[in-house]
Amino acid sequence: MPLDDSTTVGPDSVASLPLNVKMRNHRGVMVVGGYEHFFELTGPAVSIWRGIDGKRTVRDIAALIAEEYDIDQESVVADIVELFTELARHDVVKIA
């Protein structure tokens, strides 16, 4: 079920992948999508995607990305919230 207006993504949210989600790596770009919508992920977004396991929170994934890219964790949290919100609206990730 896509994200509705009453559901929000925050630092303690956990993302998981619906069964209908497909992934393909094409010429260095990861393409992910559900039944209707597809997204191209590059750079840090690919690392964020790989952090989705249905157990890690946004904050947990942000800590991994911040360490990997040597950047501020709070900025990464904001970026992940934005990415997951967009993906959830199009039923590419589930948010708990």
Side-chain angles (χ1 to χ4, degrees), residues 35-94:
Y35 290 120
E36 297 179 21
H37 302 279
F38 288 86
F39 296 86
E40 290 183 0
L41 304 178
T42 58
V46 173
S47 297
I48 292 167
W49 179 265
R50 289 183 178 141
I52 298 172
D53 67 358
K55 297 175 187 169
R56 290 186 185 112
T57 65
V58 166
R59 193 182 326 267
D60 295 338
I61 296 171
L64 296 171
I65 301 306
E67 183 177 327
E68 180 179 348
Y69 289 92
D70 192 28
I71 53 179
D72 173 55
Q73 183 174 340
E74 288 308 310
S75 297
V76 178
V77 167
D79 291 344
I80 294 173
V81 165
E82 184 178 332
L83 176 64
F84 284 1
T85 298
E86 184 68 18
L87 294 176
R89 282 191 182 131
H90 296 288
D91 204 22
V92 178
V93 297
K94 291 181 184 179

Side-chain angles (χ1 to χ4, degrees), residues 1-9 84-85 87-91 93-95:
M1 171 200 265
L3 189 71
D4 61 35
D5 292 335
S6 66
T7 306
T8 59
V9 179
F84 284 1
T85 298
L87 294 176
R89 282 191 182 131
H90 296 288
D91 204 22
V93 297
K94 291 181 184 179
I95 301 296

